[in-house]
Every structure is written in structure tokens, then in C-alpha cells.
Amino acid sequence: MFKNPFQVAVTFAVVALIVKLIIFSMNAQHGDMETYIRYIYMLILLTAVFFGIRSNKINAEQKPSFGQDFKAGARTASFFAIIVAVITYVYYAKIDTHFFELKKEPILQAAMEETTHKLKTEGKEAALAYLSNQMYGMNLMLGPYFQAMTTMMGLVFMGLFNSVVFAFLMKKMPGFKQ
């Protein structure tokens, strides 16, 4: 089926891209669907790690150790995370370019209200400093690059955890090729 962890990662990254594009084509990428996309990515990652370890077991000449199983799962998760991070960056930079503008609106409204309050109570400099800090933080955190990096880091750490769990389960559970 799969020959190496990179092939598994590419296959499941394409599945993740297809899911993301289907959700975008239905214009359902805002609101509750943001949470569901995270869960879908977790499920896809879980499946990718499983098949990464499984392909390592099938292609191994002798019975792989726990460490070898973990490494195969970690490699798969890492490749998957890198590919999905690139996909995420391109998606938000080129496809769904208005996503972050919609996310910034309520934050900007709240910042403007607080700035008006600070202007009345603390003065012009404090209000401008507050608004400047809010704008800087908002522009830094609500952009394609930051989203891609947090996606990659989250997927890597979840993938490492999944690799440990699956390597342990596949070692202890009968029915897997030894």
C-alpha cells in the first residue's frame, strides 16, 4: 500500500487539502466549522500516523522495535505537518484572503472602544500606545504565516503523542504484522 512515511504524509495532506477546499467551496469556513476543521485535521493526522507505522511494520525485514515504530510515526507526522503548513499558508494567502479581515473586525471594534475609554481616562499618549499595541498584536497573530506556523507546531506535537500511543498499542496488541 504505502512504501514510506513521506508517501503516507503526502497522501493524507492531499486529503486534508481536499477537505479544506470542499469546506471553502461550501462557504462554511467561518464560525463553527473552524473548530470542526481542527478535529478533522486531528483525525487525518491520527490516521496518517497509524498508516506510517503500519507501512514500517509491513516493509521491515525483521520485527521493528518500539523505537523504530515511534520514529516511523514521528516521521510521518512531521512530513504531514510541514506539508499542511505550506498548504495552510497558501490557502490563507491566496485562496481565502478575507478570512483574517473578518477575524480582525470584532477585535478592532473592541480595541477602538477601549481606546476611546483610555483617551477619556488616561490621556492621548496612553490611548495611542494601547491602540498601537493592539494593532501590532492583531496583525502579527492574524495572518497566514502565523497560522501556518501554529498549525505546523500543533500537528507536530500531536503527531509525536500519537506516534508514542500507536507504537505502544501496535507493540502490545495482537493482529499487527510482526
Side-chain angles (χ1 to χ4, degrees), residues 6-160:
F6 186 72
Q7 186 181 24
V8 174
V10 169
T11 303
F12 284 99
V14 168
V15 170
L17 173 64
I18 290 169
V19 167
K20 188 93 165 168
L21 291 176
I22 288 171
I23 291 169
F24 177 76
S25 69
M26 294 178 353
N27 201 21
Q29 71 270 28
H30 304 290
D32 289 340
M33 193 51 88
E34 289 176 55
T35 305
Y36 294 132
I37 287 175
R38 288 186 194 114
Y39 294 140
I40 291 168
Y41 273 25
M42 283 188 240
L43 179 64
I44 293 171
L45 174 66
L46 193 70
T47 309
V49 169
F50 171 78
F51 279 107
I53 294 173
R54 182 79 172 125
S55 71
N56 183 55
K57 283 190 171 298
I58 291 171
N59 294 329
E61 306 216 353
Q62 54 185 333
K63 183 179 173 183
S65 67
F66 174 82
Q68 290 169 330
D69 285 346
F70 170 74
K71 285 179 187 177
R75 263 189 243 115
T76 303
S78 298
F79 290 144
F80 177 80
I82 291 168
I83 295 167
V84 169
V86 170
I87 289 170
T88 300
Y89 180 81
V90 171
Y91 174 81
Y92 287 118
K94 304 290 182 194
I95 298 171
D96 194 3
T97 56
H98 300 294
F99 180 81
F100 292 112
E101 298 304 319
L102 293 172
K103 291 291 173 195
K104 289 178 183 179
E105 284 179 23
I107 297 170
L108 189 57
Q109 289 289 349
M112 293 303 287
E113 290 173 12
E114 184 63 28
T115 302
T116 305
H117 175 71
K118 283 191 179 292
L119 186 62
K120 293 176 185 174
T121 59
E122 298 177 27
K124 184 178 179 181
E125 283 93 30
L128 288 176
Y130 173 79
L131 184 60
S132 174
N133 287 337
Q134 290 295 313
M135 295 297 289
Y136 176 75
M138 181 177 63
N139 288 329
L140 178 69
M141 296 183 85
L142 291 176
Y145 179 77
F146 187 80
Q147 185 71 26
M149 289 301 106
T150 55
T151 298
M152 183 177 70
M153 296 308 255
L155 289 173
V156 165
F157 289 123
M158 283 189 297
L160 291 175

